[in-house]
Amino acid sequence: MLKGRHLLDPTDFSPGELDEIFDFADLIIQSPAQFNHLCDSSILATLFYEPSTRTRFSFEAAMLRLGGSVVGFSEPTSSSVAKGESVADTIRTVACYADIIVMRHPKEGAPRIASQYSPVPVINAGDGGHLHPTQTLTDLLTIRSVKHQLTGLTIGCCGDLKFGRTVHSLIKAASRYPDNRFVLISPKELRVPDYVTADLTAKGIAYQEVERLDEVIGDLDILYMTRVQKERFFNEDDYVRLKDVYILNAEKMRLARKDMIVMHPLPRVGEIAYDVDSDPRAYYFKQAKFGMFVRMALISKLLGAS
Amino acid sequence: MLKGRHLLDPTDFSPGELDEIFDFADLIIQSPAQFNHLCDSSILATLFYEPSTRTRFSFEAAMLRLGGSVVGFSEPTSSSVAKGESVADTIRTVACYADIIVMRHPKEGAPRIASQYSPVPVINAGDGGHLHPTQTLTDLLTIRSVKHQLTGLTIGCCGDLKFGRTVHSLIKAASRYPDNRFVLISPKELRVPDYVTADLTAKGIAYQEVERLDEVIGDLDILYMTRVQKERFFNEDDYVRLKDVYILNAEKMRLARKDMIVMHPLPRVGEIAYDVDSDPRAYYFKQAKFGMFVRMALISKLLGAS
Amino acid sequence: MLKGRHLLDPTDFSPGELDEIFDFADLIIQSPAQFNHLCDSSILATLFYEPSTRTRFSFEAAMLRLGGSVVGFSEPTSSSVAKGESVADTIRTVACYADIIVMRHPKEGAPRIASQYSPVPVINAGDGGHLHPTQTLTDLLTIRSVKHQLTGLTIGCCGDLKFGRTVHSLIKAASRYPDNRFVLISPKELRVPDYVTADLTAKGIAYQEVERLDEVIGDLDILYMTRVQKERFFNEDDYVRLKDVYILNAEKMRLARKDMIVMHPLPRVGEIAYDVDSDPRAYYFKQAKFGMFVRMALISKLLGAS
């Protein structure tokens, strides 16, 4: 039963509950017009205390395509925060106006606090460098749609694996399905944190850490590229030195399998060359579309509309 | 006849006209889904030259729950103001696109000027420290809904009574109903302006000014708490010294009547302790919900939709 | 066939195609309620990398009055641009969520790049000082509606003719219809660029350049006034010296024909005195309304909804 639930962490929902969402997303993908009025007269509030056009648009388009409507802010400056109000109070007020709330916040844990005070479902749309569960749902739905399964896959994650929360969440989420293995491709300075590998070891899940993309790309079912996020670096020099190390291009794509797919949470800033865009294995823009569909399914389920 | 009217001052409408709005709000509260399409195809413009998430959300949710839609801005920087346009010209242009306009402006009187040029209804959503009539309508509807009357009440107003426009408007509006009396609780530095008490005296309405909340809380039907607004103070020291003087907490609530209700225009920044939130007499979040319903009724009436 | 097309330059569409849009706009003007659901379930994305309340409201109201909905941003600060994303990537992502995209951008050519990557129609809502085609469509529809023709007119353009892109576009667009002539009224410093007059000469179209409005106003069918845009000037002194030179007022209006109409793209900042507003020949606010209707027609046609 997903009605009335919050989504704060990518593993808040069981694999069975995720299947319920993904199955419904599949229905929507097959005939979106059928669901144009599913959430008529419902209101989504988008509280973005940190700007993110992409994520906000995806949620808003999802709600609008279900017939619902949206109130929101896209930057903290125009919010009551300036008047010193607590998240708890803001959320209880917004819940007077809206039926479901999406929150992005620079502080880890803010959406969890919000959920503790909210009488309506709260979706975490990113809290600092911490969690971004709907990105993980997007990733899983994309893989499931293309590979027709979430098991037995070799998943490569490439780039900034230290600060990239989407990768941490994807590894955690994909670890719940049997027989997946992970290939972690990054410079030593940007390896996944120890707790991630410790968790994989504890669960007996196979993984390897490598430094060169070209040596392993041929083994992969999924190549998940990540942006080198300038804002996560402590100094400019490190950023400049490392940002271009792991660039995927048409040349490297020649080493990959015919059925490997390239994913990326976007935005990219150079880590995938433009000559990859026309490759049929490039899935990052399709992935953005899956993101809208999975959010349509999620909103419908949390509102109890389906 | 409210169709086509503007709402600039809380007393623009007669008590009879307010009853018409409140009666309609009651109908909406009883079965909101019945009014989901009342204002289909109408557009509300929200012109916020000063940010106010709460008020903006309330108006926008009200319009959306009537089936209408919204265009707007939430900060002046993104408006044509930057190009030196007058309010008169802005409003005549916006009236080409929208059927009803809500304006918040830092300058007193700006909404009145707007109304003089607008062919569509203009609602003042706050002009500087001056007026905020829909807050007063919210307060009156809340009291009417809980107390089943707007007469014969002892209304306590506590906190910053000097700069708090919501209190001035509430006193003025509640003075139009018979047999209400006011208890004005504030430090000497933040008493209501002289014109407020002079007006009460002239009308023969009972009031008392006191300095301690605990001494009078037992007499009250309504306790209207107000935020100590930092932005109204001339210096930081005065703010720090006074802001925590009049804090309502569970201990003081023990002195109050069983049927007293606590109201607050929100946001609060400490003047009501969190331990009051679970008290059934705490009405400030319900009040926010009444705010949305009264705006639904108001918009419907001004558009002539009901 | 306009379905799926982009609108980047005012002359992207042939006069015949423009007639198709204007004819449809006429139908909408006659009975707007009939088209309230024409674009139900479609989403317009408004990407304003440069703020413009007026233009954004006009597009959003147009889409809402067709039953569609809107996602968007009104300033670049809240966009993914801050993360270093290219226009090409932004547009491919936004096209996952929206069915049609409106873009205003400070850089010339940005909307054209967007269109090259977009699977959905892109409308240029202004790129720097370059083009603003829907303003031109607005101007043409206004003239056509009032004069019942787009031929044989004497069109006066007054003010800043050097930097005013709306005038350049209007001259170019009106030049495609037979027997129009242009009277270009400006100080020497702000004359139209040479390429504009060269183009008129090459096409054998009559024009004259004059310095005084009062000497020619009696000859005009249309007087198109323009704002002296402070942001186009290189220094403050020039702006102050020139901005008030060509002010239209009631006195000058007495010299004009009874059927001349005054147009202005708005906002004005003094170049039309307020005493002109009540003159029945003042069409600048009606023009804004035509702007919404022509955008309704344009969106409908590009979406293939009509």
Side-chain angles (χ1 to χ4, degrees), chain A residues 222-287:
Chain A
I222 311 288
L223 172 56
Y224 198 97
M225 297 293 297
T226 61
R227 178 161 61 96
V228 179
Q229 294 179 267
K230 193 173 179 178
E231 61 267 37
R232 304 293 178 217
F233 278 82
F234 298 116
N235 69 69
E236 184 89 15
D237 286 348
D238 278 1
Y239 172 71
V240 170
R241 186 169 54 84
L242 295 168
K243 80 183 175 73
D244 292 333
V245 170
Y246 293 74
I247 292 175
L248 180 68
N249 55 24
E251 194 187 334
K252 292 201 190 80
M253 285 298 284
R254 279 194 282 275
L255 305 171
R257 291 189 196 155
K258 289 267 178 282
D259 65 350
M260 186 194 79
I261 62 168
V262 182
M263 298 173 66
H264 191 297
L266 301 179
R268 65 170 161 182
V269 289
E271 59 278 8
I272 301 178
Y274 288 114
D275 61 11
V276 179
D277 292 359
S278 57
D279 192 306
R281 294 169 292 180
Y283 260 77
Y284 27 95
F285 292 115
K286 289 170 195 155
Q287 190 181 350

Side-chain angles (χ1 to χ4, degrees), chain B residues 54-257:
Chain B
R54 182 182 312 279
T55 303
R56 183 170 62 84
F57 275 26
S58 182
F59 272 110
E60 295 187 2
M63 187 53 161
L64 296 169
R65 290 195 184 282
L66 292 165
S69 50
V70 178
V71 296
F73 56 81
S74 53
E75 311 209 34
T77 48
S78 59
S79 82
S80 285
V81 180
K83 295 180 184 163
E85 189 178 55
S86 69
V87 163
D89 276 16
T90 298
I91 218 75
R92 280 183 285 191
T93 311
V94 171
C96 293
Y97 312 137
D99 303 294
I100 183 167
I101 296 170
V102 168
M103 174 186 274
R104 168 165 293 210
H105 203 286
K107 284 193 195 151
E108 291 186 16
R112 184 166 301 279
I113 290 170
S115 74
Q116 287 160 356
Y117 289 90
S118 177
V120 304
V122 172
I123 300 172
N124 176 7
D127 55 336
H130 192 218
L131 298 166
H132 185 14
T134 57
Q135 180 64 51
T136 308
L137 266 58
T138 298
D139 299 339
L140 294 177
L141 177 64
T142 305
I143 296 170
R144 200 183 97 136
S145 296
V146 183
K147 296 293 181 186
H148 309 294
Q149 60 186 8
L150 283 167
T151 61
L153 299 167
T154 299
I155 301 172
C157 300
C158 178
D160 167 8
L161 305 187
K162 184 175 180 184
F163 298 100
R165 66 183 166 190
T166 56
V167 167
H168 306 165
S169 290
L170 177 62
I171 292 170
K172 190 175 172 190
S175 296
R176 303 203 294 174
Y177 299 89
D179 302 325
N180 292 320
R181 57 184 289 272
F182 298 94
V183 183
L184 307 173
I185 310 147
S186 74
K188 279 176 184 166
E189 293 90 337
L190 293 177
R191 277 187 184 169
V192 293
D194 288 345
Y195 78 85
V196 174
T197 47
D199 188 52
L200 290 173
T201 304
K203 288 173 179 161
I205 294 166
Y207 73 92
Q208 61 182 123
E209 292 187 274
V210 301
E211 288 191 60
R212 296 186 55 96
L213 174 57
D214 52 2
E215 288 179 355
V216 292
I217 192 169
D219 302 333
L220 307 176
D221 296 305
I222 311 287
L223 172 56
Y224 198 96
M225 298 293 298
T226 61
R227 178 160 63 95
V228 178
Q229 293 179 269
K230 193 174 178 178
E231 61 266 36
R232 305 292 179 218
F233 278 82
F234 298 116
N235 67 70
E236 185 88 16
D237 287 349
D238 278 0
Y239 172 71
V240 170
R241 185 169 55 84
L242 295 169
K243 80 182 174 72
D244 292 332
V245 169
Y246 292 74
I247 292 175
L248 180 67
N249 53 24
E251 193 186 336
K252 292 201 190 78
M253 283 299 284
R254 278 193 283 276
L255 306 171
R257 290 189 196 155

Side-chain angles (χ1 to χ4, degrees), chain C residues 41-58:
Chain C
S41 307
S42 288
I43 295 179
L44 168 74
T46 48
L47 311 186
F48 278 68
Y49 291 84
E50 192 178 54
S52 174
T53 303
R54 181 182 314 278
T55 303
R56 183 170 63 83
F57 275 27
S58 183

Side-chain angles (χ1 to χ4, degrees), chain A residues 7-263:
Chain A
L7 177 60
L8 305 169
D9 185 295
T11 52
D12 276 352
F13 298 158
S14 69
E17 287 169 335
L18 288 181
D19 275 340
E20 189 184 335
I21 293 170
F22 297 150
D23 289 345
F24 191 57
D26 285 345
L27 285 180
I28 296 172
I29 291 167
Q30 280 163 38
S31 55
Q34 202 183 315
F35 302 95
N36 272 346
H37 295 287
L38 191 65
C39 297
D40 267 10
S41 308
S42 289
I43 294 180
L44 169 74
T46 49
L47 310 185
F48 278 68
Y49 290 85
E50 193 179 54
S52 174
T53 303
R54 182 182 313 278
T55 303
R56 182 169 64 82
F57 275 27
S58 182
F59 271 110
E60 295 187 2
M63 187 54 161
L64 296 168
R65 289 195 184 281
L66 293 165
S69 49
V70 178
V71 297
F73 57 81
S74 53
E75 312 210 33
T77 47
S78 60
S79 82
S80 286
V81 180
K83 294 179 183 165
E85 189 179 54
S86 69
V87 163
D89 276 17
T90 299
I91 218 74
R92 280 182 285 192
T93 311
V94 171
C96 292
Y97 312 137
D99 303 293
I100 183 166
I101 296 169
V102 168
M103 175 186 274
R104 169 165 291 210
H105 202 286
K107 283 194 195 151
E108 290 186 15
R112 184 166 299 279
I113 291 170
S115 74
Q116 287 160 354
Y117 288 90
S118 176
V120 304
V122 172
I123 300 173
N124 176 6
D127 55 337
H130 190 217
L131 298 165
H132 186 13
T134 56
Q135 180 64 52
T136 308
L137 266 59
T138 298
D139 299 339
L140 295 177
L141 177 65
T142 305
I143 296 171
R144 202 182 96 136
S145 296
V146 183
K147 296 293 182 185
H148 308 295
Q149 61 186 7
L150 283 167
T151 62
L153 298 168
T154 298
I155 301 171
C157 300
C158 179
D160 168 7
L161 306 186
K162 185 174 180 184
F163 297 100
R165 65 182 169 193
T166 57
V167 167
H168 306 165
S169 290
L170 177 62
I171 292 171
K172 191 176 172 190
S175 296
R176 302 203 295 175
Y177 298 89
D179 302 325
N180 292 321
R181 56 183 288 269
F182 299 93
V183 182
L184 308 173
I185 308 147
S186 74
K188 279 178 183 164
E189 295 90 335
L190 293 177
R191 277 187 185 171
V192 292
D194 289 344
Y195 78 85
V196 173
T197 46
D199 189 52
L200 289 173
T201 303
K203 289 174 179 160
I205 294 167
Y207 74 91
Q208 60 181 124
E209 293 187 274
V210 301
E211 288 191 60
R212 295 186 58 95
L213 173 57
D214 51 2
E215 289 179 354
V216 293
I217 194 170
D219 302 334
L220 307 176
D221 296 305
I222 311 288
L223 172 56
Y224 198 97
M225 297 293 297
T226 61
R227 178 161 61 96
V228 179
Q229 294 179 267
K230 193 173 179 178
E231 61 267 37
R232 304 293 178 217
F233 278 82
F234 298 116
N235 69 69
E236 184 89 15
D237 286 348
D238 278 1
Y239 172 71
V240 170
R241 186 169 54 84
L242 295 168
K243 80 183 175 73
D244 292 333
V245 170
Y246 293 74
I247 292 175
L248 180 68
N249 55 24
E251 194 187 334
K252 292 201 190 80
M253 285 298 284
R254 279 194 282 275
L255 305 171
R257 291 189 196 155
K258 289 267 178 282
D259 65 350
M260 186 194 79
I261 62 168
V262 182
M263 298 173 66

